[in-house]
Amino acid sequence: MRRYLLLAWVILGLLAGVAATLLGHPEAAPWLWSAAALPVAAHVGLGLVRSLMGGRLGVDAVALFAILGAVALEETAAAAVIALMVAGGEALEAWAEGRATRALTDLIARAPRRAARLEDGTVAEIDVAEIRPGDLLLVRAGETVPADGTLEDDGATLDESALTGEPLPNAFHRGDALRSGGVNAGAAFRLRAVRDAGASTYAAIIRLAQDAAASRAPLARLADQWAVGFITFTALLAGGAWLATGDPVRALAVLVVATPCPLILAAPVALVAGIGRAARRGIVIKGGGALERLARIRTVLFDKTGTLTPGRPRLAAIDADPLLGREEALRLAAALAQGSTHPASAALVAAAGRRGLALPVPETVAEVAGGGVSGMVEGRAVMLGAEGFLHAAGIDPSNGFALTAEVVAAAGSIAWLAVDGRVAAAFMLADGVRREAPRAVRRLRALGVRRIVLVTGDRAAAAAPLGRALRLDEVFANQSPADKIARVRSEAAKAPTAMVGDGVNDAPALAAADVGIAMGAAGTAAAAEAGDVVLLVDRVDRTAEAIAIARRSRQVALRAIGLGMGMSGIAMTVAAGGWLTPLAGALVQEVIDVFAILYALTALRPGPDEHAQDGLPAEAGLAERHDEHAGLRQLADELRGIGEAIGATPEVVPELAAVEARLRDELLPHQRAEERALYPAAAERLGGQDPMAPLIRMHAEIEGLAERVGTLLRLAQRDERWTTTAPELRRTIFALEALLRLHLAVEEEMLADLQGPERRGA
């Protein structure tokens, strides 16, 4: 506010002097212009004294000398215009910083101050500081979630756009964990607090935002570093012009156009603009210094679990005793797994749910931590767990499953199922790769990151396939927290290095890196505190976006400085030659200042390195088609199972007919719906010449194979044709399964940028 009042005073004095001249009182004008200029000189002088007391010589000393010199030489109009330039530059800086930090300001402004606590059936209004873990809170429509907690009602809809930058609301279900800071976009719901407000997610984000806004970037300090040299150059040029001509007005004209507002204002405005734009994308950068370091990153180290992988195991494959069958094996295992909290158990229960299996309630469930779980299911003794767990019970898991163990152990883990004392099935579990991870790696390469490395505490057999899939430069497995720190320091000695992680064990490595990037949406508080950059969206591809924003902001800041000071240098030379009067020079410098600051604000716009896509409209059907992919993957499992079951006799014909019906009733309509609405909308967003052509070609091949399966099945239903038809039918089914899996993976990767908010539970 003080900056705007000072600007208003200068404008009033300048206009008063002009009015006095026009009304026939020119003798009053110098007094009015001096009265307008001298308060600004006093303001600049106080700032200069504070700088000197802090051990810095600010470049605003040139502005002070210019104002005082103009008043002394009775160039009071020029003095008033210089004062207008200084006061206007500071006001413009305040406006620009306000616009640049709008996202950070919005975060702080939206912080809840009151909450509704349910006490004995009544609603009590309390300060958020009074919230304690275990409190039952009521969050009404339009209110901000005041603390982290668990949803106690059947459903809730939250607008988390201020946290994540994603425009669409997210739906939550009973028992889901809710983060503070989201806005209730639906009906009122009850929330069971798990933390007090001060320890919740939103409070931590606000602290990060305030730290980011308060810090001074190296580029902003660059003005102070250049101050002595710039002032010396200005003094030599002004003094030389005075000595050469004997005219002090020449020196004054040089001082006027040398006022270094572009150097003082442009750099911090550009960097703060970058911080603000990153915040709108769910990326909190802790200050301009972190942004500057981020812009120079050439090596990125990734943690594995929770960073490049979702951190949640999923069922990848089933190998079961043919007498029991895959579906029955999964049903029994998932039924028993309901009594366990292990992530592998949750993966089996989720897989059974996706297949629509009805799960009985297990009895006498006993769990051994880190081993497995046992109990009774429908009167049968069932055990589920690791190989050692079954060995301890006198059961040899390798009996009939040796090949499976050898082949799959390298890529994931196995949960063994024993029924009535005999091994019955092996469930292959894998963490998988985040859908956006391959794109994140490729985009980092496109941004000039020369080395991308995986550093994980997991075993080498599990880490190596991930490194191959993502085309990483090197993989370091079995790394302890101390090993990770040593690896980060080794890489940082060669090139500016960033470390990306999410867990407590990653926090030391994040702190040791040039830039620590924490997955703050689902990661730990320790990682978020240690990181210089916090990703509020659970998407690893925001790492590349953060680097792109940082690079653009730094480039804009340097260009704004270069353009502004270059034009000032030209104007100084012209003034030294006598072709620019002090008053005209002041007006020219004002134009240069406005140009430099407005150019710095272009950091608010995406640059050519940033390719974020808008989400597709709802009518394109992307969400619906994506939800159908789970059923299609189950269909692929059935294709593999039925292909393996094809033998010398036609007993599998009924199962074949059921699978062929699913191809006609589920797969082909799904593909037609994609080509009718989804693919045209995606092609418009992606651009280029027919970007969806590869997927459409896959559709055609899949349809051809599905039709061939139907034709072969009709032939196979004739007993006399089974022996000649079965081998070709088996080959066709395996080809269809492989192509279907490939198609689903490629399609999801191509359209991931158009997905909008990260789908929960996907």
Side-chain angles (χ1 to χ4, degrees):
M1 179 60 68
R2 187 176 62 220
R3 294 177 177 181
Y4 294 113
L5 289 175
L6 189 62
L7 175 61
W9 172 262
V10 175
I11 293 174
L12 183 62
L14 189 60
L15 293 177
V18 173
T21 302
L22 294 176
L23 293 175
H25 301 285
E27 70 282 355
W31 294 99
L32 293 170
W33 288 329
S34 297
L38 290 175
V40 175
H43 168 73
V44 173
L46 288 174
L48 183 59
V49 169
R50 285 193 292 267
S51 296
L52 291 172
M53 291 177 63
R56 296 182 290 111
L57 176 61
V59 288
D60 46 4
V62 177
L64 176 62
F65 298 150
I67 293 174
L68 295 178
V71 172
L73 295 175
E74 298 184 355
E75 293 280 350
T76 53
V81 174
I82 299 168
L84 177 65
M85 175 178 57
V86 174
E90 292 192 1
L92 185 58
E93 178 190 25
W95 171 81
E97 286 191 352
R99 179 168 179 203
T101 59
R102 187 176 301 162
L104 301 180
T105 305
D106 289 346
L107 282 175
I108 297 170
R110 290 174 61 258
R113 292 168 176 80
R114 303 282 291 174
R117 183 166 60 195
L118 297 174
E119 300 174 346
D120 300 324
T122 63
V123 179
E125 294 289 334
I126 62 172
D127 290 333
V128 293
E130 299 177 33
I131 296 175
R132 295 294 178 267
D135 285 352
L136 186 61
L137 307 175
L138 178 67
V139 183
R140 292 163 290 214
E143 290 185 340
T144 301
V145 178
D148 295 349
T150 304
L151 181 60
E152 293 286 311
D153 287 317
D154 291 335
T157 303
L158 293 184
D159 174 8
E160 296 185 310
S161 57
L163 299 178
T164 66
E166 302 291 2
L168 300 180
N170 289 322
F172 296 85
H173 306 287
R174 182 184 293 272
D176 283 350
L178 304 187
R179 295 184 297 172
S180 58
V183 176
N184 183 6
F189 62 85
R190 294 172 301 159
L191 175 78
R192 181 73 65 181
V194 297
R195 297 185 184 89
D196 58 44
S200 289
T201 301
Y202 198 57
I205 292 170
I206 289 176
R207 288 194 294 272
L208 295 176
Q210 290 172 331
D211 291 344
S215 68
R216 298 182 72 223
L219 269 180
R221 293 192 296 267
L222 204 57
D224 301 331
Q225 297 171 10
W226 287 352
V228 174
F230 183 80
I231 291 174
T232 302
F233 172 75
T234 301
L236 290 175
L237 186 60
W242 189 353
L243 290 174
T245 63
D247 184 3
V249 176
R250 291 275 188 100
L252 176 61
V254 172
L255 290 177
V256 168
V257 293
T259 305
C261 286
L263 185 59
I264 298 171
L265 307 179
V269 167
L271 297 185
V272 173
I275 292 172
R277 193 159 66 82
R280 287 197 295 274
R281 295 293 297 160
I283 304 165
V284 174
I285 300 176
K286 299 181 183 179
L291 185 140
E292 267 238 83
R293 295 194 303 277
L294 187 63
R296 294 195 294 267
I297 291 300
R298 290 294 179 271
T299 299
V300 176
L301 279 66
F302 284 103
D303 174 48
K304 174 179 170 284
T305 304
T307 303
L308 290 178
T309 68
R312 299 181 299 273
R314 59 176 178 80
L315 180 61
I318 306 173
D319 192 5
D321 187 331
L323 296 177
L324 183 64
R326 289 185 174 87
E327 292 290 304
E328 181 63 11
L330 178 59
R331 190 181 74 87
L332 292 175
L336 181 62
Q338 294 176 107
S340 169
T341 58
H342 194 277
S345 297
L348 293 174
V349 173
R354 287 193 297 269
R355 300 184 186 208
L357 301 180
L359 302 181
V361 178
E363 301 175 358
T364 63
V365 177
E367 184 170 9
V368 175
V373 60
S374 61
M376 300 295 295
V377 178
E378 295 179 335
R380 308 180 73 176
V382 180
M383 297 182 68
L384 177 70
E387 183 177 359
F389 180 65
L390 268 65
H391 270 302
I395 302 172
D396 182 8
S398 64
N399 184 18
F401 296 97
L403 180 62
T404 298
E406 293 172 3
V407 172
V408 180
S413 59
I414 301 178
W416 298 92
L417 176 70
V419 179
D420 295 329
R422 295 184 59 186
V423 62
F427 301 95
M428 279 61 80
L429 301 168
D431 197 3
V433 181
R434 286 181 180 270
R435 288 198 308 274
E436 73 276 11
R439 186 177 309 99
V441 171
R442 290 196 297 270
R443 191 170 178 199
L444 286 171
R445 302 277 191 204
L447 288 170
V449 174
R450 294 189 290 267
R451 183 167 164 81
I452 304 177
V453 177
L454 176 63
V455 183
T456 176
D458 207 346
R459 56 200 174 91
L466 181 63
R468 285 195 300 270
L470 296 178
R471 295 314 204 223
L472 304 183
D473 296 299
E474 200 161 358
V475 174
F476 296 97
N478 300 307
Q479 300 285 295
S480 67
D483 294 333
K484 289 185 177 182
I485 293 175
R487 180 56 52 193
V488 166
R489 288 175 176 166
S490 173
E491 297 290 344
K494 305 170 188 173
T497 298
M499 173 72 193
V500 187
D502 74 314
V504 172
N505 63 328
D506 297 321
L510 294 176
D514 294 310
V515 177
I517 303 177
M519 302 285 289
T524 64
E529 290 293 331
D532 302 291
V533 178
V534 181
L535 307 182
L536 304 180
V537 186
D538 194 25
R539 294 181 63 102
V540 72
D541 55 355
R542 293 294 168 92
T543 299
E545 187 170 352
I547 292 176
I549 289 173
R551 289 192 178 172
R552 171 160 173 78
S553 301
R554 187 172 187 274
Q555 289 168 358
V556 168
L558 291 172
R559 288 173 188 160
I561 290 174
L563 289 171
M565 297 311 297
M567 289 188 289
S568 293
I570 294 172
M572 289 167 65
T573 304
V574 173
W579 297 294
L580 203 61
T581 65
L583 180 58
L587 296 174
V588 168
Q589 187 60 37
E590 185 73 26
V591 173
I592 294 173
D593 293 346
V594 172
F595 171 80
I597 292 175
L598 292 180
Y599 183 83
L601 281 175
T602 60
L604 289 169
R605 299 201 306 266
D609 289 337
E610 300 168 55
H611 307 291
Q613 296 284 346
D614 295 330
L616 292 178
E619 55 268 22
L622 177 56
E624 292 81 356
R625 302 292 83 77
H626 183 277
D627 290 340
E628 292 168 0
H629 280 195
L632 295 180
R633 283 195 167 87
Q634 180 189 347
L635 177 58
D637 291 340
E638 292 185 15
L639 286 169
R640 184 181 65 247
I642 202 68
E644 292 172 350
I646 292 176
T649 55
E651 286 89 354
V652 296
V653 166
E655 290 83 358
L656 272 169
V659 170
E660 194 271 338
R662 287 194 65 186
L663 293 175
R664 285 185 282 104
D665 299 339
E666 294 180 32
L667 177 58
L668 300 185
H670 169 87
Q671 295 191 161
R672 287 193 291 269
E674 286 183 329
E675 293 186 25
R676 183 173 57 252
L678 175 57
Y679 285 7
E684 183 178 349
R685 288 286 197 276
L686 294 173
Q689 293 186 353
D690 200 8
M692 311 309 292
L695 295 181
I696 295 174
R697 176 60 185 271
M698 286 188 187
H699 276 184
E701 294 293 333
I702 289 171
E703 289 176 8
L705 289 170
E707 183 178 347
R708 184 170 180 79
V709 168
T711 301
L712 292 170
L713 177 60
R714 287 191 292 274
L715 292 173
Q717 287 171 330
R718 305 173 190 170
D719 290 339
E720 67 276 8
R721 303 293 300 273
W722 175 257
T723 25
T724 57
T725 306
E728 182 61 27
L729 184 58
R730 181 185 178 97
R731 283 192 295 269
T732 304
I733 287 176
F734 282 147
L736 178 57
E737 180 227 350
L739 183 56
L740 177 58
R741 291 186 189 278
L742 177 62
H743 172 72
L744 294 176
V746 171
E747 181 179 272
E748 288 176 358
E749 185 167 337
M750 282 186 66
L751 302 182
D753 276 348
L754 309 179
Q755 183 69 45
E758 184 76 358
R759 297 179 60 79
R760 299 185 182 275

